[in-house]
Amino acid sequence: MTAFARQPIALERGRGATITDVDGREYIDCVAGVAVNNIGHCHPSLVSALRTQAEKLIHTSNLYYTEIQAVLAERMARLTGMERLYMTNSGAESNEAAMKLARKVTGKKGFISTKNAFHGRTMGALSLTWKEALRRPFEPLIADVTFVDYGKVELIADAIDDDVAAVIVEPIQGESGVIVPPDEYLPTVRELCTERDILMIVDEVQTGFGRTGRWFGCEHAAITPDIMTLAKAMGGGFPVGAMMSQEEYKFAPGDHGGTQSGSPLACAAALATLEVIENEGLVEQSRVNGEYLKQSLANLETSKAVDSRGKGLMVGYELSCSVLPIVSYARENGVLLNNTSENVLRFVPPLVIKKEQIATAIAVVERAIDLCSR
Ligand SMILES: *Cc1c(COP(=O)(O)O)cnc(C)c1O
């Protein structure tokens, strides 16, 4: 199925932030499988945890308990400050679960989302996603969603009526080009939700697990949401996600489910990933190297630069022209880059990327910048 627009290379193996194609060409990876390989490619601890668990038990369903799921749940609760965990296989699935939980516990139907938001591509999650081109062919979607400008709490306040169950926000908008809201945004949204008695869902699918220089994006704002959704980097590349909530918000048996949710293998991947992030100080490394990356981009001398922004190793470099030729040039010169919109390069490399690798990647971008075209 031609669902994906692919670049003309085939990848074969990887280590750290280096990836090798089938012809033996090496690349510095500044994409990390779209903010997934936070601990780098094929980290030995992850590989070994997967191997060990695969020899014991791979899948059980949720008709029974497994110890490893309980251990992971406890660990996640401590890390996030959330009390409950429902496991999924992807970010869209985590947001689906969040929507169902919000409707179930509030008895209300509506959602407030933000312009330029991305929350996934299944019918529910797509209803919360802004981009017209992604939505249009699949309408009708869930009708009760209001979109307001990102970063403006007063517009959320205006959109709340008696039938709104929840507001959903990303701590930093990823897919639309690394949009960082004002510092007071999340804290004031938090206050508003409490005051007006609606749930606050924070979508940490992209910002989670050290990506922004904190364990989770909402820590920058020192807030705890009612519901938090996670996926991407959670399993270090193994598909696993989670929807977490405060104690009082929970499903009853039968409300929701997923046959392969929270398999022992997925739990092993997630536990190993959390341990690597912690043991190798990757959250701090993301903060420090992210600052270096953002500054280095800001220092490039070009009249085409519009902005260099982000937190930790989630950095957007906006130019006044199409960056597509830069992505191609970089790939041909050993650097994998990703663009979000046509004029924003999004850097979300593995958090283990070395400073020298960042410097090399930036040198390649610098050489390519004049290719940036209308
Ligand atoms: C990637 C992403 C999703 C969707 O996750 P999938 O695993 O692709 O379903 C949802 N929300 C945000 C913020 C994302 O970046």
Side-chain angles (χ1 to χ4, degrees):
M1 190 85 57
T2 52
F4 299 96
R6 295 182 202 266
Q7 301 186 25
I9 53 172
L11 302 175
E12 190 173 77
R13 54 186 64 241
R15 262 289 186 276
T18 306
I19 200 155
T20 310
D21 72 12
V22 291
D23 298 319
R25 280 185 301 235
E26 286 198 347
Y27 304 87
I28 295 171
D29 182 7
C30 291
V31 185
V34 195
V36 168
N37 305 101
N38 283 19
I39 61 172
H41 292 279
C42 303
H43 193 289
S45 302
L46 175 59
V47 173
S48 142
L50 282 169
R51 185 182 290 129
T52 304
Q53 184 58 48
E55 281 169 355
K56 285 200 235 166
L57 198 55
I58 293 175
H59 170 78
T60 56
S61 84
N62 286 289
L63 297 171
Y64 315 98
Y65 292 101
T66 59
E67 190 178 353
I68 195 167
Q69 199 183 68
V71 171
L72 176 65
E74 217 244 318
R75 188 86 190 265
M76 288 295 297
R78 262 192 289 127
L79 263 180
T80 57
M82 309 295 288
E83 309 271 350
R84 295 183 183 275
L85 171 110
Y86 174 85
M87 290 187 68
T88 71
N89 306 286
S90 72
E93 246 188 88
S94 299
N95 286 330
E96 293 288 332
M99 294 176 84
K100 284 181 71 175
L101 182 64
R103 281 189 167 178
K104 176 79 199 280
V105 302
T106 63
K108 300 178 198 171
K109 290 194 288 293
F111 295 95
I112 299 171
S113 184
T114 55
K115 293 182 183 172
N116 296 308
F118 184 86
H119 297 295
R121 295 164 178 273
T122 53
M123 295 302 251
L126 185 58
S127 305
L128 304 173
T129 292
W130 167 252
K131 205 171 173 186
E132 196 63 36
L134 304 185
R135 302 166 54 91
R136 178 66 57 77
F138 308 105
E139 287 170 354
L141 299 169
I142 288 174
D144 318 278
V145 181
T146 309
F147 289 93
V148 300
D149 287 349
Y150 186 62
K152 301 210 170 120
V153 70
E154 62 282 8
L155 298 184
I156 297 177
D158 292 346
I160 297 175
D161 65 24
D162 290 344
D163 205 26
V164 168
V167 55
I168 181 164
V169 284
E170 295 157 82
I172 295 175
Q173 287 186 328
E175 297 304 302
S176 54
V178 191
I179 313 294
V180 183
D183 287 345
E184 71 282 4
Y185 184 55
L186 288 185
T188 46
V189 174
R190 174 65 278 182
E191 276 168 33
L192 178 70
C193 290
T194 305
E195 212 176 279
R196 304 286 296 272
D197 202 19
I198 66 168
L199 299 182
M200 179 181 193
I201 305 171
V202 173
D203 180 341
E204 293 264 11
V205 170
Q206 188 159 156
T207 47
F209 303 102
R211 176 52 58 196
T212 69
R214 293 292 190 103
W215 265 99
F216 300 98
C218 62
E219 284 173 30
H220 291 282
I223 58 142
T224 310
D226 299 301
I227 297 176
M228 180 187 283
T229 54
L230 297 157
K232 285 199 167 85
M234 184 169 170
F238 192 90
V240 53
M243 186 268 291
M244 302 194 67
S245 67
Q246 297 294 348
E247 177 84 38
E248 62 266 44
Y249 306 125
K250 59 179 180 177
F251 286 130
D255 281 344
H256 195 50
T259 307
Q260 305 206 62
S261 295
S263 76
L265 201 57
C267 293
L271 273 173
T273 301
L274 297 181
E275 253 157 54
V276 171
I277 294 174
E278 196 167 303
N279 294 345
E280 299 189 4
L282 295 184
V283 177
E284 176 66 4
Q285 204 163 310
S286 170
R287 193 181 66 73
V288 173
N289 282 340
E291 204 50 44
Y292 170 70
L293 169 62
K294 188 169 66 176
Q295 269 314 314
S296 306
L297 287 167
N299 292 344
L300 292 181
E301 290 202 14
T302 168
S303 57
K304 290 172 174 171
V306 174
D307 195 15
S308 154
R309 56 181 178 250
K311 289 195 170 141
L313 281 168
M314 181 172 180
V315 173
Y317 186 48
E318 183 172 348
L319 296 167
S320 59
C321 41
S322 170
V323 299
L324 299 177
I326 300 180
V327 173
S328 299
Y329 176 91
R331 186 182 62 248
E332 285 153 16
N333 288 274
V335 177
L336 298 185
L337 294 179
N338 172 253
N339 64 292
T340 52
S341 54
E342 205 169 302
N343 57 346
V344 181
L345 290 171
R346 171 179 47 176
F347 292 80
V348 282
L351 308 184
V352 297
I353 193 170
K354 296 192 167 61
K355 210 170 165 188
E356 308 84 72
Q357 291 179 303
I358 296 175
T360 306
I362 286 173
V364 169
V365 170
E366 185 170 25
R367 270 189 277 140
I369 243 163
D370 286 334
L371 301 171
C372 185
S373 60
R374 299 235 155 252

